[in-house]
Amino acid sequence: MAFSKNTRTQTLETLKHTNLDLLIVGGGITGAGVAIQAAASGVKTGLIEMQDFAEGTSSRSTKLVHGGIRYLKTFDVGVVSDTVKERAVVQGIAPHIPRPFPMLMPIYDEPGSTFDMFSVKIAMNLYDQLADVEGSQYANYTVTRDEVLQREPHLEKTGLQGGGVYLDYVNNDARLVIENIKEADELGASVASHVQATGVIYNDAGQVAGLHVKDLLTDEEFDIHAKLVINTTGPWSDKFKALDNKESQAPTLRPTKGVHLVVDGSRLPVPQPTYLDTGLNDGRMFFVVPREGKTYFGTTDTDYTGDYEHPRVEQEDLDYLLKVINTRYPEAHITIDDIQASWAGLRPLIANNSSSDYNGGGANKGKVSDESFDALIKTVDAYEDKTATRQDVERAISKLETAHAEAAGPTASQVSRGSSLHQAPDGVITLSGGKITDYRKMAAGALALIRRLLAEKFHVETKDIDSKTLQVSGGHFDPTNVYDTIAFYTRIAMDAGLPEEDAKDLANRFGSNTSRVVTYVQDGAAPGLSLKETISLRYSINEEMTLNPVDYLLRRTNAILFHAETLPALKQPVIDEMARLLDWDADEKASEMSRLDAAIAESELTYLKQADTPAAIR
């Protein structure tokens, strides 16, 4: 189904002249999740996003749909239970995107360690029980010190005791967003990127009745009328509220910045995602993740007050992550010159909830009392002997007495990743906080409120849907048979003339949409592009609302992040083909090349590499 610059024109006309049931502001994962569910429910839905879809937070995560085992260090069983259950739901509704990839957690005997070999096994057992993977191929297990070093010989050996291995999932965050957006569009939602909300429209009763907006591609301003408006702008939630003079302006979010750095896999070879303490005795943990021949690592977690649209890696972020990676992998000697790509993103943390941490920052530096810890162990033993229930375990966990570091005032990395659903007196709904893993659940909670308000206040009846089975675009196949299905679509692409590896890449990226993608082979390869790249680009422009080369090379394909070495040869042919399809003149082509070069330079940290970096950092 077409979803392109051409259809955008008609969508804007629809938004101008339709009284919507619901107008969603924000096209990241939260807004996309609300849009697909609302459209499936028969809600007359519109969505606007001031940038590209997922351009903000939702393309700048650690790119995992993770179960949050870190929360078990504070025995926050509720968080982990919700997260691992929701992770399985996301895999079911988007089976071509999240993939299981067991995580290695090396354990060190050193001050400030999150886990030791005893406690990590307890945590992993609880984790498996909550995730319902006991006895499966994904059940946890421990490995010895030597086995850890066999997997990752560059790891610091001093103090290494062994490790744990447990189930986690890798993810393509930007693809998850665009697939939700595409499905919402196909279900009837009117979805437009590069449209910015500039003001709130009120009816005679002082209730919200729509928004003043501006088309950032043409500078045209117009009104969109809607019975309900929901703010799903992530870190921008408080900034959007500033447009609403009837809403409390008290800050509700505490945005923090997370940074990730990418190196070639040969410089930092790891066979599987790895999650470990920093080794700096700062109560923090970090990820090291292999992907497409590269390895990336992060993250930082620092309070942020800068430009929300363009957070970037600063010198202090670089210094910290290089110190961390070279502390844990001292034989690697990673320097700034090894960094091939990077990204920085903001997290929409709820400001008033500091009960759990994000990446392991100090939320449980206090000790669990001996009495309550012993009681937990006895209960877990009883559970394993089938003389206690899961509820008994959860009850024992809830009674643990800990001395939380947050009592002295939480650091940014201690703020909860919880979500908030709030309706202002004038009717504006705000759905904020959360994380990618629980986006579907957040959206379902918001939709329940939306459907109730539409029925009670506007007499609009809508359908009750099961969002746990509402599959996204590209994900319309059996989630229990992913590998055979991807093999099937690989064969379809091969039959269309693509080499096996290229066909496999397309099938993994586009899932059940692969059949649509290969229809674009009829015009042959574009000059300078492979057939795979050509049909991927043409499909993306015509059916994924790709409007510029950064949309394509950064968020639709991740080439800027994980294939930087291909960009010099790829840039001009991509722009030439986009110019042909989108009717760009020479000036527009030059402007798009400048935009692309700036994005690549920022990702490659050119501005830091050109600075007078101290020798200790290099």
Side-chain angles (χ1 to χ4, degrees):
M1 181 175 177
F3 182 52
S4 65
K5 185 177 181 180
N6 289 335
T7 66
R8 181 180 182 274
T9 301
Q10 181 56 51
T11 296
L12 294 181
E13 288 302 307
T14 299
L15 290 173
K16 291 175 189 176
H17 302 296
T18 303
N19 186 12
L20 300 170
D21 295 331
L22 175 68
L23 176 58
I24 303 164
V25 188
I29 191 62
T30 306
V34 174
I36 184 176
Q37 292 186 33
S41 297
V43 176
K44 194 181 302 180
T45 304
L47 180 148
I48 58 171
E49 161 59 46
M50 69 177 181
Q51 302 181 103
D52 181 30
F53 304 113
E55 186 168 343
T57 294
S58 297
S59 62
R60 300 165 182 261
S61 72
T62 305
K63 305 187 187 303
L64 302 170
V65 182
H66 49 82
I69 196 172
R70 61 184 173 267
Y71 292 111
L72 289 179
K73 75 173 190 167
T74 51
F75 299 97
D76 196 344
V77 70
V79 172
V80 180
S81 180
D82 288 348
T83 303
V84 294
K85 289 178 174 61
E86 200 57 30
R87 183 184 64 187
V89 173
V90 174
Q91 196 278 327
I93 62 179
H96 61 309
I97 301 179
R99 300 293 174 84
F101 203 162
M103 183 82 68
L104 171 66
M105 185 189 296
I107 303 298
Y108 285 87
D109 180 13
E110 62 188 14
S113 292
T114 301
F115 293 110
D116 57 29
M117 291 300 294
F118 176 68
S119 62
V120 77
K121 185 59 178 172
I122 294 174
M124 292 192 304
N125 286 345
L126 285 171
Y127 179 89
D128 281 5
Q129 292 164 15
L130 296 169
D132 196 25
V133 296
E134 296 171 289
S136 75
Q137 62 177 315
Y138 297 119
N140 79 81
Y141 58 95
T142 57
V143 289
T144 66
R145 176 183 185 275
D146 288 345
E147 288 171 325
V148 172
L149 292 174
Q150 284 176 357
R151 299 185 186 203
E152 299 195 17
H154 293 298
L155 266 174
E156 172 59 52
K157 299 173 179 61
T158 303
L160 180 63
Q161 293 184 309
V165 180
Y166 63 93
L167 177 62
D168 229 329
Y169 284 71
V170 293
N171 181 41
N172 188 325
D173 48 11
R175 294 292 319 168
L176 186 61
V177 174
I178 195 63
E179 300 290 37
N180 273 273
I181 288 288
K182 286 157 59 181
E183 190 70 19
D185 175 77
E186 190 150 348
L187 289 168
S190 299
V191 183
S193 59
H194 300 280
V195 176
Q196 182 176 15
T198 59
V200 178
I201 301 171
Y202 304 100
N203 61 23
D204 292 341
Q207 294 291 293
V208 62
L211 296 175
H212 302 294
V213 304
K214 181 177 182 179
D215 181 352
L216 298 181
L217 299 185
T218 65
D219 290 334
E220 179 189 7
E221 298 186 23
F222 57 94
D223 292 342
I224 303 176
H225 295 278
K227 299 176 180 69
L228 296 174
V229 173
I230 185 167
N231 169 10
T232 60
T233 58
W236 286 264
S237 288
D238 287 340
K239 294 181 180 293
F240 175 81
K241 286 199 311 180
L243 300 177
D244 184 2
N245 57 28
K246 299 181 184 297
E247 167 71 295
S248 167
Q249 300 304 311
T252 57
L253 294 182
R254 185 182 182 182
T256 66
K257 183 175 72 169
V259 165
H260 297 80
L261 305 177
V262 183
V263 300
D264 191 76
S266 64
R267 291 292 292 115
L268 190 62
V270 294
Q272 67 190 103
T274 304
Y275 184 44
L276 66 170
D277 291 314
T278 62
L280 304 182
N281 193 21
D282 58 2
R284 299 168 65 85
M285 301 183 76
F286 74 109
F287 293 96
V288 185
V289 183
R291 191 181 190 116
E292 300 177 47
K294 311 296 181 184
T295 301
Y296 66 90
F297 54 94
T299 177
T300 59
D301 205 11
T302 53
D303 285 312
Y304 187 77
T305 57
D307 182 356
Y308 281 27
E309 288 188 48
H310 298 105
R312 69 175 192 172
V313 180
E314 302 295 351
Q315 186 68 53
E316 61 183 347
D317 304 317
L318 176 69
D319 292 350
Y320 178 78
L321 287 180
L322 287 181
K323 184 175 183 180
V324 167
I325 203 69
N326 287 315
T327 295
R328 279 308 187 212
Y329 297 84
E331 298 176 18
H333 304 293
I334 302 297
T335 75
I336 187 176
D337 295 322
D338 292 310
I339 307 304
Q340 295 186 347
S342 67
W343 67 91
L346 303 183
R347 301 190 185 95
L349 307 185
I350 303 297
N352 64 356
N353 187 339
S354 57
S355 62
S356 300
D357 68 283
Y358 173 63
N359 72 342
N364 193 26
K365 288 185 178 179
K367 299 293 185 181
V368 177
S369 71
D370 290 340
E371 181 180 350
S372 58
F373 188 76
D374 288 343
L376 172 65
I377 300 304
K378 290 179 181 177
T379 306
V380 172
D381 288 343
Y383 177 85
E384 293 180 344
D385 291 338
K386 302 188 184 305
T387 59
T389 66
R390 176 168 161 173
Q391 287 72 29
D392 293 329
V393 174
E394 294 180 354
R395 194 175 302 114
I397 290 171
S398 69
K399 292 181 179 178
L400 283 169
E401 297 174 1
T402 59
H404 291 292
E406 68 185 70
T411 63
S413 58
Q414 289 171 263
V415 181
S416 172
R417 292 301 303 271
S419 61
S420 171
L421 180 62
H422 163 75
Q423 187 175 24
D426 64 357
V428 174
I429 303 167
T430 298
L431 178 61
S432 59
K435 52 188 180 293
I436 285 181
T437 308
D438 57 11
Y439 86 93
R440 194 280 323 166
K441 188 174 184 178
M442 289 172 60
L447 185 62
L449 173 62
I450 289 163
R451 292 184 64 237
R452 178 174 63 80
L453 292 173
L454 287 173
E456 292 178 355
K457 293 190 173 184
F458 302 99
H459 308 293
V460 174
E461 295 301 323
T462 54
K463 294 182 293 185
D464 185 15
I465 62 161
D466 181 4
S467 61
K468 291 182 178 181
T469 60
L470 179 60
Q471 292 181 306
V472 305
S473 183
H476 293 281
F477 59 90
D478 181 0
T480 67
N481 195 27
V482 173
Y483 292 102
D484 286 346
T485 304
I486 295 301
F488 168 75
Y489 286 114
T490 298
R491 174 54 59 185
I492 287 178
M494 291 174 64
D495 290 345
L498 275 75
E500 183 175 1
E501 284 304 308
D502 288 355
K504 186 182 298 184
D505 182 52
L506 287 183
N508 277 287
R509 186 187 311 163
F510 296 111
S512 59
N513 286 324
T514 304
S515 300
R516 290 281 309 147
V517 177
V518 299
T519 63
Y520 289 91
V521 302
Q522 58 189 353
D523 292 330
L529 295 178
S530 67
L531 185 58
K532 180 196 84 168
E533 202 71 64
T534 299
I535 64 176
S536 172
L537 177 61
R538 289 172 181 164
Y539 172 82
S540 186
I541 290 170
N542 288 309
E543 303 189 35
E544 294 192 330
M545 196 61 72
T546 294
L547 301 179
N548 61 63
V550 179
D551 290 351
Y552 179 69
L553 292 171
L554 182 56
R555 286 174 291 277
R556 304 299 186 270
T557 68
N558 282 333
I560 289 176
L561 299 183
F562 301 119
H563 299 281
E565 70 282 355
T566 69
L567 297 174
L570 204 56
K571 291 189 304 180
Q572 192 63 58
V574 165
I575 286 178
D576 288 344
E577 181 67 1
M578 293 192 76
R580 184 182 73 83
L581 295 171
L582 296 173
D583 297 321
W584 292 342
D585 59 24
D587 288 343
E588 287 173 303
K589 287 177 65 175
S591 175
E592 292 300 340
M593 180 62 80
S594 295
R595 184 208 301 260
L596 178 57
D597 283 341
I600 293 171
E602 182 169 301
S603 173
E604 295 179 349
L605 303 182
T606 301
Y607 56 99
L608 294 180
K609 292 176 179 178
Q610 292 175 345
D612 185 17
T613 308
I617 301 302
R618 287 187 174 276

